[in-house]
């Protein structure tokens, strides 16, 4: 690491996108804090604003660019008494587009890739000193590690970086750093299982800029989980691009089934939640462990994407309504109250009205708690970008609207089915309305962070953030639940 600066430099880290980016930002924060930088929340109080961008879909890209431009406006006001001296783009959009982003966004002082993370302190110091590093040059990160998953661990240094035999460059593996500094003091924290993805879905560019699938070693996951518990975390949210692949490069595809009970045994951890399960890879043993292990949320984040077998084949995925409903039957046979969420893509190239209806019929039968609906759009460099049969944008919008209306009705019905059930709510906010009436808000086991709705418990005056409150569901508001105390703290 570089030496600690004489005059500490303040940095604001702004994070967009998914929970995986949240972890990356906290690792960047850990490196910066360990090297003497001062972390601040408000970008107006920062010497440097680092924007951890998202490059997943068009809306996320726009949000990232808007955030960078807003930070650049703060820098422009420095001449009138402002403080910001530099604006730096990192994250998926920066990794994916690099030089192209730098050319189109001259307001940013630097565009850094994942390989700059190891020496982020040095990079920021040089930028503040007036240097303008050459923008990151994008490359297909799938090519940086061996094709065989079994050979990858040997190519990845435990300190998070490995060497590519051909180019002798450092390869950053976001999410594998031993240094982390929490930026959010809430009772839930994301914890990375792995980075990258080996699937080749025709609509998805993520593997190109996140790289091949690499599991973290269980000992590292457990060590970080224990550290998070020491920071006051009560719920671990296990994240990756594909959690069902965890352990395949370590020689044990059943490793997650073994790891989950060990995580729940950590002192202070009340709940462990797994995200992003590939339906075609979700094994009966994994279903059983998630559904029945005390301390593991019976929560199934299943990436269906569609239900028509023909559309799924064009997506280079596998499944059909019968197999998907069979998987849900397995889940509910073990845990009738399990939470289920998914995302689907509408208007994929060639999608017929019959195939669209197959998706609608499946969602009616599936009775999921939450379904995210996305209209298809071309992603640079993907196979689907070149497929024939593109639907008109107006038709895609119409189908998205139709499905959103259907999903709103279905998820509200599913929430109403939970009236009369008892839930355990992780308190994330006390007195959310400022009424002083003992109301708390949080999430039940079937509700994932940020996107799955919340549960409001009425009349719990002694509850604190981080408590688990046992409650009886008495009403609903869309996907949100309203409950009353049922026996105090869990």
């Amino acid at each position: 690491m570089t030496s600690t600066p004489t005059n500490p430099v303040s940095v604001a880290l702004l994070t967009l996108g998914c929970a995986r980016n949240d972890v990356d930002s906290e690792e960047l924060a850990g490196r910066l804090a360990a090297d003497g930088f001062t972390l601040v929340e408000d970008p107006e109080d920062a010497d440097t604003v680092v924007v951890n961008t998202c490059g997943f879909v068009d809306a996320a890209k726009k949000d990232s660019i808007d955030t960078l431009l807003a930070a650049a406006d703060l820098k422009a006001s420095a001449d009138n008494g402002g403080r910001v001296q530099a604006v730096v783009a990192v994250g998926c959009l920066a990794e994916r587009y690099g030089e192209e982003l730098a050319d189109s966004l001259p307001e940013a002082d630097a565009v850094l890739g994942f390989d700059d993370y190891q020496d982020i302190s040095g990079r920021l110091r040089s930028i503040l000193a007036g240097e303008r590093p050459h923008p990151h040059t994008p490359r297909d990160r799938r090519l940086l590690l061996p094709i065989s998953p079994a050979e990858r661990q040997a190519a990845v240094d435990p300190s998070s970086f490995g060497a590519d035999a051909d180019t002798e460059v450092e390869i950053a593996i976001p999410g594998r750093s031993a240094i982390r500094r929490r930026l959010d003091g809430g009772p839930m924290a994301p914890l990375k299982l792995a980075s990258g993805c080996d699937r080749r879905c025709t609509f998805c560019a993520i593997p190109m800029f996140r790289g091949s699938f690499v599991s973290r070693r269980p000992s590292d996951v457990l060590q970080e989980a224990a550290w998070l518990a020491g920071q006051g975390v009560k719920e671990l949210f296990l994240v990756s691009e594909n959690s069902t692949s965890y352990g395949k490069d370590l020689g044990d595809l059943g490793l997650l089934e073994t790891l989950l009970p060990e995580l729940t045994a950590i002192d202070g951890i009340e709940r462990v939640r797994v995200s992003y399960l590939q339906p075609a890879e979700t094994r009966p043993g994994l279903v059983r462990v998630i559904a029945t292990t005390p301390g593991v949320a019976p929560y199934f984040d299943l990436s269906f994407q569609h239900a028509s077998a023909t559309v799924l084949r064009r997506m280079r995925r596998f499944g059909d309504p019968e197999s998907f409903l069979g998987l849900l039957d397995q889940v509910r046979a073990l845990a009738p109250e399990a939470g289920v969420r998914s995302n689907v893509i509408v208007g994929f190239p060639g999608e017929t009205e019959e195939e669209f209806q197959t998706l609608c019929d499946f969602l009616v039968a599936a009775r999921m708690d939450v379904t995210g609906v996305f209209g298809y759009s071309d992603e640079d460099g993907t196979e689907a970008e070149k497929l024939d049969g593109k639907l008109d944008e107006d038709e895609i919008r119409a189908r998205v609207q139709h499905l959103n209306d259907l999903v709103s009705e279905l998820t509200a019905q599913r929430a109403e089915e939970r009236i009369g059930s008892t839930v355990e709510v992780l308190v994330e906010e006390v007195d959310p309305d400022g009424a002083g009436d003992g109301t708390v808000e949080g999430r039940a086991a079937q509700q994932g962070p940020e996107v799955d709705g919340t549960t409001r418990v009425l009349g719990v005056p002694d509850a604190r953030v981080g408590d688990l409150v046992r409650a009886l569901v008495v009403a609903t508001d869309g996907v949100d639940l309203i409950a009353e105390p049922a026996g105090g703290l869990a």
Side-chain angles (χ1 to χ4, degrees), residues 71-356:
D73 287 342
L74 290 176
K75 179 190 171 188
S77 70
D79 293 337
N80 299 316
R83 177 165 183 168
V84 176
Q85 301 173 45
V87 176
V88 178
V90 299
C92 292
L93 191 70
E95 175 69 33
R96 184 176 180 184
Y97 291 103
E99 295 164 300
E100 182 181 344
L101 178 63
D103 289 343
S104 63
L105 198 70
E107 294 87 347
D109 295 282
V111 175
L112 305 180
F114 294 152
D115 294 326
D116 292 301
Y117 284 15
Q118 185 181 31
D119 188 27
I120 187 65
S121 300
R123 298 291 191 271
L124 294 192
R125 286 201 192 92
S126 67
I127 293 164
L128 286 168
E131 297 180 22
R132 289 297 175 261
H134 189 277
H136 162 69
T137 301
R139 50 185 171 169
D140 189 338
R141 297 189 71 86
R142 295 173 297 186
L143 306 178
L144 300 182
L145 289 171
I147 293 176
S148 169
E151 298 174 0
R152 289 177 194 159
Q153 290 291 328
V156 179
D157 188 281
S159 66
S160 306
F161 300 87
D164 176 26
D166 293 328
T167 60
E168 295 184 352
V169 297
E170 295 288 300
I171 301 173
I173 307 293
R176 293 178 61 92
S177 172
I179 304 173
R180 182 172 177 179
R181 170 102 171 232
R182 291 211 70 199
L183 298 174
D184 179 355
M188 183 282 301
L191 175 60
K192 271 197 182 181
L193 284 174
S195 183
C197 184
D198 286 341
R199 299 187 70 89
R200 295 294 180 263
C201 303
T202 57
F203 57 83
C204 184
I206 290 175
M208 287 186 283
F209 56 86
R210 278 286 179 179
S212 299
F213 186 88
V214 180
S215 300
R216 296 183 68 193
R217 293 189 177 276
S219 57
D220 294 336
V221 176
L222 290 165
Q223 181 179 17
E224 187 170 337
W227 177 81
L228 289 168
Q231 300 291 308
V233 170
K234 301 297 183 182
E235 177 179 314
L236 299 173
F237 185 40
L238 305 185
V239 298
S240 71
E241 278 74 25
N242 179 6
S243 297
T244 41
S245 283
Y246 180 70
K248 72 176 186 179
D249 50 325
L250 296 172
D252 184 359
L253 255 181
L255 202 53
L256 185 55
E257 288 97 303
T258 304
L259 180 63
L260 286 171
E262 295 184 70
L263 289 167
T264 65
I266 294 173
D267 188 31
I269 297 301
E270 302 286 352
R271 180 188 288 165
V272 179
R273 184 184 304 277
V274 184
S275 72
Y276 212 81
L277 304 172
Q278 285 284 352
E281 298 178 23
T282 304
R283 305 168 296 280
L286 181 58
V287 171
R288 186 178 306 106
V289 168
I290 294 175
T292 65
T293 302
V296 176
Y299 173 82
F300 291 81
D301 176 14
L302 293 161
S303 175
F304 290 124
Q305 301 298 353
H306 210 279
S308 164
T310 47
V311 172
L312 287 165
R313 280 197 293 273
R314 292 199 294 277
M315 290 180 169
R316 199 169 289 153
R317 296 175 68 88
F318 304 95
D320 52 48
E322 292 73 23
S323 63
F324 290 165
L325 292 173
L327 176 57
L328 294 177
D329 286 343
Q330 290 179 44
V331 168
R332 289 166 176 153
L334 293 166
E337 299 299 322
V340 181
R341 82 169 324 275
S342 190
N343 295 313
V344 296
I345 297 174
V346 177
F348 191 77
E351 182 189 63
T352 65
E353 291 185 7
E354 181 180 2
E355 291 168 333
F356 177 64

Side-chain angles (χ1 to χ4, degrees), residues 375-396:
Y376 172 81
S377 62
D378 286 336
E379 283 296 311
D380 296 335
T382 61
E383 187 176 337
E385 185 183 23
K386 302 175 182 178
L387 290 178
D388 295 331
K390 298 288 176 61
L391 274 66
D392 181 85
E393 290 185 5
D394 289 340
E395 177 62 25
I396 294 176

Side-chain angles (χ1 to χ4, degrees), residues 349-414:
E351 182 189 63
T352 65
E353 291 185 7
E354 181 180 2
E355 291 168 333
F356 177 64
Q357 188 60 48
T358 296
L359 175 59
C360 295
D361 293 343
F362 165 72
L363 293 178
V364 171
R367 296 172 43 248
M368 291 189 286
D369 294 271
V370 177
T371 303
V373 179
F374 295 88
Y376 172 81
S377 62
D378 286 336
E379 283 296 311
D380 296 335
T382 61
E383 187 176 337
E385 185 183 23
K386 302 175 182 178
L387 290 178
D388 295 331
K390 298 288 176 61
L391 274 66
D392 181 85
E393 290 185 5
D394 289 340
E395 177 62 25
I396 294 176
R397 279 193 292 269
R399 293 187 185 187
V400 167
Q401 184 62 54
H402 177 87
L403 204 60
N404 270 326
D405 291 343
L406 175 62
V407 162
S408 294
E409 180 181 349
L410 293 172
T411 53
Q413 290 174 359
R414 179 59 179 147

